[in-house]
Amino acid sequence: MAPEGHWTNHEGQEMIFLAGNKALWLTQFGSQNDTDYFDYRLDCSAETPALDFNGFQTGPFTGKTLFGIFEWTSD
């Protein structure tokens, strides 16, 4: 199972999940745009599903992992 398509928020950020556990993080701050490539790992086997991001190629998260948990709100 993998996240599908585009996830967006109201702050000008968008995550695009691609095949092979690859993704893009698009940000927009005023007139500045940035694209960061990263890897993701989705684990739905745990009681609390986890979606972790790592392998950032540029930006402030290079060399770091962002650990996340999430809640399903619908199918």
Side-chain angles (χ1 to χ4, degrees), residues 11-49:
E11 298 175 2
Q13 297 186 38
E14 181 174 9
M15 290 187 176
I16 303 171
F17 293 91
L18 309 169
N21 293 359
K22 303 291 184 188
L24 305 172
W25 190 347
L26 310 174
T27 56
Q28 182 177 10
F29 299 103
S31 63
Q32 294 183 329
N33 297 312
D34 192 16
T35 301
D36 199 358
Y37 297 87
F38 64 97
D39 302 322
Y40 67 88
R41 184 183 63 84
L42 177 63
D43 181 5
C44 291
S45 64
E47 184 175 326
T48 303

Side-chain angles (χ1 to χ4, degrees), residues 57-73:
Q57 298 179 12
T58 60
F61 300 119
T62 301
K64 298 179 181 176
T65 298
L66 299 180
F67 299 100
I69 58 173
F70 60 93
E71 177 182 6
W72 297 114
T73 57

